[in-house]
């Protein structure tokens, strides 16, 4: 079943690329000097990313989290682009354990590729495939202290977003659905993202 979901994700991405008639066209058939070609390549790049900041606390536990997720896209056409995206996240947990405070830090990593297609200059479709390595903190009743475990995973997102441009800079908000989310977890398969872009 999992292999079928992976296959559907890549079929969707392939259809998105192939149905755009401008993808694969040569913008200029004349040969140019290498310096001009490299300049043209950089002109088709756009940059973006988001910052995550979170706090949470209850009677026994508090957590502070900070994340960064840069991305770079290459414009095959003015509307269609693809590129890499990486994510880094740090969380610091504090747990009240009788008369002392236990502390533990976790790190999450993600890396993958994405594709986007813009509609009406402000709305875009987004597909993405990531490999992830997440760490989870938990309280071990046997050792009576905080511990952490690491888990590798995969995500395949599809969704829509809105980008509000301010000159070369813009802000964006988009919602994604994870097609291969773990069904044996209470976590929702939806993910909301907010970020900034440059030259998108």
């Amino acid at each position: 079943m999992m292999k079928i979901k992976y296959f559907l994700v890549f079929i969707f991405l392939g259809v998105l690329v192939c149905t755009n008639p401008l993808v694969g066209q040569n913008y200029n058939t004349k040969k140019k000097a290498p310096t001009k070609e490299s300049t043209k390549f950089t002109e088709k790049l756009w940059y973006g990313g988001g910052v995550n900041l979170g706090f949470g606390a209850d009677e026994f536990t508090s957590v502070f989290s900070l994340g960064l997720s840069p991305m770079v896209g290459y414009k095959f056409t003015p509307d269609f682009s693809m590129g890499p995206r990486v994510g880094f996240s740090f969380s610091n947990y504090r747990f009240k354990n009788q008369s002392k405070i236990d502390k533990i830090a976790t790190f999450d990593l993600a890396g993958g590729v994405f594709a986007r297609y813009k509609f009406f200059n402000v709305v875009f479709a987004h597909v993405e495939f990531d490999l992830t390595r997440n760490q989870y903190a938990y309280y071990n009743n046997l050792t009576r202290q905080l511990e952490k475990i690491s888990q590798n995973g995969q995500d395949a997102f599809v969704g829509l977003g809105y980008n509000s441009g301010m000159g070369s800079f813009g802000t964006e908000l988009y919602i994604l659905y994870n097609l291969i989310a773990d069904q044996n977890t209470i976590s929702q398969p939806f993910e909301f993202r907010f970020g900034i872009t440059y030259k998108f």
Side-chain angles (χ1 to χ4, degrees), residues 45 64 80 93-94 109 140 143 150 153:
L45 294 178
F64 165 78
F80 177 77
Y93 292 85
R94 295 167 60 91
L109 300 173
N140 191 324
T143 61
S150 297

Side-chain angles (χ1 to χ4, degrees), residues 13-35:
L13 184 57
V15 170
L16 182 66
V17 174
C18 296
T19 54
N20 189 329
L22 296 178
V23 174
Q25 281 189 352
N26 192 348
Y27 280 51
N28 190 351
T29 56
K30 295 182 180 179
K31 293 184 178 180
K32 293 184 178 181
T35 54

Side-chain angles (χ1 to χ4, degrees), residues 52-169:
N52 301 322
L53 185 63
F55 302 91
D58 58 26
E59 186 179 355
F60 300 101
T61 309
S62 69
V63 58
F64 165 78
S65 59
L66 177 65
L68 181 66
S69 53
M71 59 198 302
V72 180
Y74 178 81
K75 297 181 181 179
F76 291 91
T77 75
D79 295 324
F80 177 77
S81 58
M82 294 182 66
R85 180 183 182 276
V86 295
F88 311 91
S89 181
F90 163 81
S91 297
N92 185 48
Y93 292 85
R94 295 167 60 91
F95 182 79
K96 186 177 180 181
N97 184 5
Q98 297 179 353
S99 60
K100 66 173 183 173
I101 301 296
D102 291 333
K103 303 175 185 177
I104 196 169
T106 63
F107 298 91
D108 297 337
L109 300 173
V113 293
F114 71 91
R116 280 189 179 184
Y117 187 82
K118 276 197 294 188
F119 305 92
F120 314 117
N121 292 324
V122 293
V123 180
F124 60 86
H126 184 103
V127 296
E128 178 180 324
F129 181 79
D130 296 323
L131 298 177
T132 62
R133 180 172 179 81
N134 299 320
Q135 290 186 329
Y136 302 95
Y138 70 100
Y139 183 73
N140 191 324
N141 289 319
L142 295 177
T143 61
R144 296 187 178 277
Q145 61 183 7
L146 281 179
E147 296 182 4
K148 60 185 175 182
I149 58 173
S150 297
Q151 183 176 1
N152 297 327
Q154 299 175 341
D155 296 318
F157 293 108
V158 294
L160 293 173
Y162 175 82
N163 186 288
S164 175
M166 300 175 292
S168 296
F169 288 92

